[in-house]
Amino acid sequence: MGDMTNSDFYSKNQRNESSHGGEFGCTMEELRSLMELRGTEAVVKIKETYGDTEAICRRLRTSPVEGLPGTAPDLEKRKQIFGQNFIPPKKPKTFLQLVWEALQDVTLIILEIAAIISLGLSFYHPPGESNEGCATAQGGAEDEGEAEAGWIEGAAILLSVICVVLVTAFNDWSKEKQFRGLQSRIEQEQKFTVVRAGQVVQIPVAEIVVGDIAQVKYGDLLPADGLLLQGNDLKIDESSLTGESDQVRKSPDKDPALLSGTHVMEGSGRMVVTAVGVNSQTGIIFTLLGAGGEEEEKKDKKAKQQDGAAAMEMQPLKSAEGGDADDKKKANTHKKEKSVLQGKLTKLAVQIGKAGLVMSAITVIILVLYFTVDTFVVNKKPWLPECTPVYVQYFVKFFIIGVTVLVVAVPEGLPLAVTISLAYSVKKMMKDNNLVRHLDACETMGNATAICSDKTGTLTTNRMTVVQAYVGDVHYKEIPDPSSINAKTMELLVNAIAINSAYTTKILPPEKEGALPRQVGNKTECGLLGFVLDLKQDYEPVRSQVPEEKLYKVYTFNSVRKSMSTVVRLPDESFRMYSKGASEIVLKKCCKILSGAGEPRVFRPRDRDEMVKKVIEPMACDGLRTICVAYRDFPSSPEPDWDNENDILNDLTCICVVGIEDPVRPEVPEAIRKCQRAGITVRMVTGDNINTARAIAIKCGIIHPGEDFLCLEGKEFNRRIRNEKGEIEQERIDKIWPKLRVLARSSPTDKHTLVKGIIDSTHTEQRQVVAVTGDGTNDGPALKKADVGFAMGIAGTDVAKEASDIILTDDNFSSIVKAVMWGRNVYDSISKFLQFQLTVNVVAVIVAFTGACITQDSPLKAVQMLWVNLIMDTFASLALATEPPTETLLLRKPYGRNKPLISRTMMKNILGHAVYQLTLIFTLLFVGEKMFQIDSGRNAPLHSPPSEHYTIIFNTFVMMQLFNEINARKIHGERNVFDGIFRNPIFCTIVLGTFAIQIVIVQFGGKPFSCSPLQLDQWMWCIFIGLGELVWGQVIATIPTSRLKFLKEAGRLTQKEEIPEEELNEDVEEIDHAERELRRGQILWFRGLNRIQTQIEVVNTFKSGASFQGALRRQSSVTSQSQDVANLSSPSRVSLSNALSSPTSLPPAAAGQG
C-alpha cells in the first residue's frame, strides 16, 4: 500500500512539472540531473548550461543575498512545480493487519483449534449417544436442555480469544499512533535557517522550497539538495549517501553540490536549494526502495524517513514501532546486546513456557490414561464404533484442559506489561523534558552506573559573560572603563571580535522588560560580543562595513584547531587576519603583544609563562574560560599560501585575554548529589582548560576536596592508556577510569575511547552501563557507543540528535536524573507485575493439574481461566505498570546485569501467597460442600449444569488475586502496601472495575462461564478469604528473607545460563533463530533491490542519454546504503553484509568516481 503513495506522489510531481516548467528558467528534471553530478563534472555542467550559480539563482527568481521574497503565492507556486520538502511516509498498518498479527500467537492458535473441535463435536449427535454402554464412570443422567448447551464452552473460548486479539491489536495500534505523533513532533522541531526578503529566519524543514537561500553551518543535517554560493572552509560528511567516510571539501568553484541527508562537519556557507522532498538525492533513493515492501524493511524506513530530513544512518526505531511483543525482544539491535530487562525477560519467558508445556502434556497424558484405564480395563467396556464420537468428545475435553493449563502457565500479560510500562513512561518523560527516541533506552537508563557529561550547557547555564580581561598590560578583575583602554587597541579589539565570529551570532534586545539580552548563535561568541557592548562600542557597523561576502578566508573553529581565524583585505590591498581561541593555544603562537600605548612589543616565551601564571591560571581557578584574541598583518604581495595553515596561524600579536564565566545551573549540584546517592558516578568530559574544569567540577559537587580522584587532560589521558606502539590497552584504561572524574581539553575521540573503555571493562563484577551527553557533531560516535546517548535539544546539532537515544529538550542535567528515576520505575513496574502474575500462574497451574488428575476435571474451567489469565492480567499489567515513580527509587544502587529479575524477596512473596491460596482452594475443593452445605461439584458428568461448589472456588480464587494485586505494589518487602495508592487513579479504577465485572460474571455468567449465582453469605466468605491475602502479606513480610537460603536458586533461575554467556559474548548479541533468518532475508532482499535498481538506472540512463556516471554513482551509493542498514542492525555482522553486498558492487573504479 505504502509504495502506491510514493509513486503517486512522484508521478503527480512529474505531471505538474511538465505543465508549469516554463514559468522558471529551469525544470525540475534539469535540476535533478544536475544534482546527480559531483565535483568537477557539476562545475563543468553549470558553466556550460547556465553560466554560473548566480545565473541559476536568476533563473529560479531568487537573490543570492536577499533570498526569496517569501510571499505566499510565490511559495505555493514553487511547491506545486518543484514539489514539497517532504517524503511521504509509508501508510501505517491498518487495524485489521494488526489483528491478523495478534492472531499469530501460538497459544491462541492452539486455543482456537481446541475451541473449534469442541464446537464441531457439540453439534454432532451420533446414534450411539443413548447407548448405555458408552457412558463412563461419570456418566450421570443428562438433561436434554443441558446437552444442547455443549457448544457454549467452545464459543466462550473463541470469544475470549477475540477479546485478547482485539486488546493486543488496539495496544499496538495506539502505540504506533503515539509513536507517529512523537515522530511528527521531532520533525516539527527541526528547523533550518534561510534568508527570506533579506531577513534571516528559521523555518521548519518541510517549508523549504526550491530557490530558498539556506545558511548551512557546522553540525547541520542538510534538509534538501542545493548548490553552494559561498562557503568558508566547508567540509561535508557524505558517507550516508556514498559510503565514503572521508569528509568532502566543498567550494563554489570546485565542488558546489550539497546533498540532502549529509552532515556538515566543519565550516559554514550559503546555498541555493535546487531539489526538495522526493526529488532530492535521498528522496530518490527512498522512492526506489519504496518499490517493494518487506515488512521489517518498511519499518526501518518509516522510522528513518520520518526522522528529520531522512538521514540514512538513523537507527531503525523498531522497538518503538507497532508490531508485536517479539519486536520488543528484538528491539534495540543497533546496540551491541539486548537491554538488560529484555535479556532477562526473554530467558524467563522461555523457562516458564517450557515448564508450562511439560505440565500441560503431563495433565493430558494422565487424564487420557485414567479415562482409558477406568473405562476399558476397570469397567471392561468394549470400544463400540457408535461410541467413538462420545469418547472423542471426552478426549477433546481433556485436550482443552491441557491447553488451559498451558495458557495459564504462559504469562501473556508480560509483553503487554512491558509495552504499557514503556509507552506510559515515554509519554510522561516528555513532561520531564526527555524526548525518548528508542523505547528501551528509558529502561536501560535505570541501570546506568556512570554518566559522562559535557560541561558547557549541561552542567552550566550556557550563558556566557566576560567578567575579567587582560588588556594593555593590565589585569582587570571586572569590565574595564572604556576610557582606560587605548583607542587603537579598542578599534582592533572591536574589529577582531565583530568580524572574526559567525555573523549568525547576535545579541538581541530582551523579550521582556528587565530580562537579560537574548543570545543567539554560538554562546562563547555571544559572550565576546557582549563584552564589546559592555565597552560601550557596537559591532553592527563593523559588520555592515565588512559583510560576509567580503571575508577573504575563514578558518572555522574545530576540535583540532581550537581556534577560529578570519582574513580580511584592507583598503591598501594588504591582508589582516583576526584570530581567537583557547588562550594557551593562541598565546603559544603569539610573538608580540599590544602594550598600554597600543603599540606591539615583543612577547617572549618567558613572558608567556609569566602571563600563564599571573593571569590565565588565576582566571581558570575561578572557573572562567580564557579566550585570547589576536591578529596578524600580511603584505599584499606575494600573497601568502593560505592553505599552509601552520605558517599562517603563527607570529600573531595578542590584543587581549578575556575570562568568560558560564555559571553552574542552580539545580545541578543537587541533581549530582542524587546521582551519587543512587550509585551513579558522574564524570565531566570537557574541551576546557583543566583548571576551569576542576573549578566547575568542585562547584557542581562532582569532586570533593580531599577525595582520591583524578583530573586529567586529554594528552595525559592518551599517554597513560597507550603502550609504546601507541595502541590503546584495556588494562591501562582499567587503571584510570575508576578514579577519573574530570577529563579536560579532551577531543571527541578521547570521549569515545573513555566510554568504550568503561563499557568494555571487566574490572568490576557488573558490566558498567554508561550514559553520555553530547551536543557537537563529533560527539556522534560516543553517543552511539554509549548504552544511552543524550543529545541536547537546544544546543545540540542535528547529527548529535541523530545518534542519540534520548533528547533533553531543556539541555539540563537534572532531566537526566529524572530519566534514571523513570528507568528504574519501569524495571520495578515489571517486577511488580511479575510478582502478581507468577503467583496467579503457580496457583492456577497446580490447581488445574491436581484437580484434573484427582477429579478428571479442572475445578477452574477453560473460560474462567481465560478470564483470570487474559483479561485480569491485561488490566493488572495496566494497573501495576502505571505506578508513578518516587524519589525513593534513587536511594538504592542500580540492579546491574547479573541481578536476577525475581529477587529472593519476590520469590518469597510468590511462594508464600501461593501456599495460602492453594491451601484454601484445596480445602474448598475437597470439604467445601460440607462447609457451605451444598452439592459437591466433583465428578460431574460431561455437560452437567455449573455447580455452586465450583463457582465458590472460582470466585474465591479471583478475590484472592484482587487483593494480592494490592500486595504486589511493593516488591522490596515494604509493610505499607497502600502507600501512595491514591496517586495512581488507574490502579484504583482497575481494581474496582475488575471487582464489578466479577460480580456480573458470577451472578449472570451462567453456562458460558460455568457459574451459578451465589448468595450474599457465600459472597461474604469469598471476600473474607480474599482479604486474608492482605493479612497473610504482612505475615510473609515478617519472615526475614535471609533465613530462606533455598529461595536463592529460584531467584537466580532467570540468570542461570546467562552470566557466562554475557561475559563471553559481550560483543556477540544473543540472537534467536527467527531473527537470524529475518536478517538473512533482509540482506537477500537488499541484493535483489540493488540489482533491480541498477537495471532501472541503466535503462533510464540510456533513455535520457545522460552521462552513465550518474547511474554508476547511485549504484555505489545504494550498495553502501544497504550495507549501512545491515551494519546498523548489528555490528557483529558487518563482514557478512559486506560480503553479501559485494557481488552487486561495481568494479572499484566505477564506484570510486562516486
Side-chain angles (χ1 to χ4, degrees), residues 225-301:
D225 292 355
L227 295 170
L228 187 64
L229 297 172
Q230 170 262 325
N232 305 321
D233 207 8
L234 193 61
K235 285 188 187 160
I236 305 273
D237 170 14
E238 292 189 349
S239 59
S240 54
L241 281 180
T242 61
E244 304 289 327
S245 57
D246 299 339
Q247 295 177 10
V248 187
R249 258 210 138 91
K250 296 285 181 184
S251 61
D253 46 355
K254 295 203 179 67
D255 183 359
L258 300 177
L259 306 174
S260 57
T262 58
H263 294 141
V264 183
M265 299 310 278
E266 243 180 70
S268 60
R270 285 206 325 275
M271 71 167 187
V272 56
V273 176
T274 53
V276 292
V278 281
N279 304 307
S280 66
Q281 293 303 298
T282 311
I284 293 170
I285 290 179
F286 272 132
T287 316
L288 286 171
L289 284 177
E294 166 155 330
E295 285 305 296
E296 278 295 322
E297 193 28 55
K298 275 190 197 163
K299 278 186 203 155
D300 290 9
K301 272 194 323 238

Side-chain angles (χ1 to χ4, degrees), residues 253 268 283 335 366 396 557 619 778 851 871 905 977 980 985 994 1093:
D253 46 355
S268 60
K335 289 286 162 75
I366 290 181
V396 168
F557 181 89
M619 280 187 186
N778 36 28
I871 314 303
T905 315
V977 289
T994 318
Q1093 250 160 279

Side-chain angles (χ1 to χ4, degrees), residues 100 161 184 202 220 331 394 506 537 600 757 940 1015 1065:
W100 177 244
V161 166
S184 62
Q202 287 223 324
D220 280 343
Y394 270 107
K506 301 188 187 61
Q537 306 292 318
Q1015 268 98 43
N1065 312 355

Side-chain angles (χ1 to χ4, degrees), residues 61-79:
R61 303 215 193 129
T62 177
S63 144
V65 182
E66 298 282 309
L68 292 177
T71 56
D74 178 53
L75 295 178
E76 204 39 57
K77 192 195 294 171
R78 286 173 193 272
K79 279 184 188 164

Side-chain angles (χ1 to χ4, degrees), residues 327-345:
D327 260 28
K328 284 248 100 38
K329 293 191 193 113
K330 295 191 304 235
N332 215 346
T333 45
H334 68 279
K335 289 286 162 75
K336 70 167 190 265
E337 57 210 16
K338 287 186 183 164
S339 74
V340 185
L341 186 65
Q342 280 162 353
K344 291 179 181 180
L345 281 177

Side-chain angles (χ1 to χ4, degrees), residues 28 160 262 280 357 391 443 472 475 544 597 628 814 872 886 1024 1075 1143:
M28 192 172 76
S160 53
T262 58
S280 66
L357 211 66
Y391 295 147
E443 170 261 314
H475 183 177
S544 46
C628 174
S814 57
M872 271 182 65
T886 56
F1024 175 71
E1075 193 172 355

